[in-house]
Amino acid sequence: MRKLAHIRPGVWLSGIVVLVAVAWAVVPGLFASGDPTESGTTAPLLAPSGEHWFGTDPVGRDLYTRVVWGARHSLSGALVAVAVGMVVGTLLGLLAGSFRGRVDAVIMRVVDVLLSIPALLLSLSVIILLGYGTVNAAVAVGVTNVAMFARLARSEVLGVASSDFVEAAYGSGGTAWSVLWRHILPNSLTPVLALAALQFGSAILQLSTLGFLGYGAPPPTPEWGLIISEGRDFIATSWWLTVLPGLAIVLVVLATNHLSQALRRIDGKVLR
């Protein structure tokens, strides 16, 4: 309890925002009972009020309901994107840092190529190959994150591989693969997991960008980027169609980034 008292209020606030977003994604029906895709249920383009907190969209759907249900698509997509980038990138970095030589040279040149391509262009290229949809957009965003995870994992593996306990594991008869999976990989994962937490907010932004451009979930799916895209033609007269969903995205991303940075500072000490 004494440690919790030293946690900054900003960390508490960020945690609450993230918990609310996760609750929206897991049980959206508890927060918005309406159908997020059914049109014509209310008058179109109603301003925010006590009955419709975020107003209504051009076809009469409650915008708050769509934002709440959209958390499921945006957050699950971000989770898939981070998982793809972390798993593939960590494996590449593990192989490069462990075997070195030609294997390291080939993998790092591939990583350099990925880093040289702008993230949006690379993700669009992957989507063109895979097709549209939330899952394909998440995989495309994950591909853009592979290079960062690979470079970090390789750096950590190189440091761990020269440790005394790894030399002792080889000296006690351990094979290359057993030492790799039982000693090197587990001791290299902490920075990788920290990067994964930090990339989660970035993945939400990237997926929202793809959805805004029309490369994500198809209409009438309640996806955050698509919701903003549907309201951009009415921004001069119905500001809530873009401002309120955009504010929800900004709050979740900022809270996720702040919380992940705070968690990175935990090293057996209280947050300062």
Side-chain angles (χ1 to χ4, degrees):
M1 295 298 294
R2 186 176 299 176
K3 291 182 178 181
L4 293 179
H6 289 82
I7 298 178
R8 285 182 173 181
V11 178
W12 283 110
L13 182 60
S14 298
I16 292 172
V17 172
V18 172
L19 284 177
V20 170
V22 171
W24 283 1
V26 176
V27 283
L30 292 180
F31 301 89
S33 58
D35 188 342
T37 61
E38 185 178 359
S39 60
T41 56
T42 56
L45 299 178
L46 293 177
S49 63
E51 184 178 1
H52 302 286
W53 291 358
F54 286 11
T56 61
D57 67 4
V59 294
R61 296 172 298 201
D62 183 71
L63 191 61
Y64 170 74
T65 300
R66 286 181 60 77
V67 171
V68 170
W69 283 85
R72 170 170 293 182
H73 296 277
S74 297
L75 268 63
S76 61
L79 186 62
V80 171
V82 172
V84 170
M86 183 178 67
V87 172
V88 177
T90 301
L91 288 177
L92 291 176
L94 182 65
L95 294 175
S98 299
F99 294 99
R100 307 182 189 182
R102 293 184 178 179
V103 175
D104 184 20
V106 171
I107 292 177
M108 286 300 101
R109 295 299 76 74
V110 173
V111 168
D112 290 340
V113 171
L114 292 177
L115 288 174
S116 67
I117 304 175
L120 181 59
L121 178 59
L122 180 59
S123 59
L124 290 177
S125 302
V126 175
I127 288 178
I128 291 174
L129 294 175
L130 298 179
Y132 299 164
T134 302
V135 176
N136 291 341
V139 172
V141 173
V143 171
T144 65
N145 294 328
V146 166
M148 288 185 292
F149 282 101
R151 289 175 67 92
L152 178 61
R154 175 182 177 273
S155 175
E156 291 299 316
V157 167
L158 289 174
V160 173
S162 59
S163 301
D164 293 337
F165 69 89
V166 173
E167 296 294 335
Y170 280 117
S172 61
T175 63
W177 285 107
S178 66
V179 173
L180 183 64
W181 293 108
R182 295 180 59 183
H183 300 283
I184 296 179
L185 178 60
N187 287 282
S188 304
L189 281 181
T190 301
V192 174
L193 294 176
L195 178 62
L198 193 60
Q199 286 299 112
F200 189 79
S202 176
I204 295 176
L205 276 181
Q206 289 178 278
L207 286 170
S208 298
T209 301
L210 293 176
F212 179 84
L213 294 175
Y215 293 98
T221 304
E223 192 273 330
W224 285 349
L226 180 60
I227 292 173
I228 296 177
S229 177
E230 291 173 340
R232 60 182 172 178
D233 293 335
F234 302 88
I235 191 171
T237 57
S238 304
W239 57 268
W240 58 87
L241 296 177
T242 53
V243 172
L244 296 181
L247 184 60
I249 295 174
V250 170
L251 287 177
V252 173
V253 171
L254 289 178
T256 303
N257 290 344
H258 185 69
L259 192 61
S260 63
Q261 290 174 356
L263 292 175
R264 290 178 64 183
R265 293 195 294 266
I266 298 179
D267 187 16
K269 301 178 182 179
V270 298
L271 296 180
R272 296 196 292 267

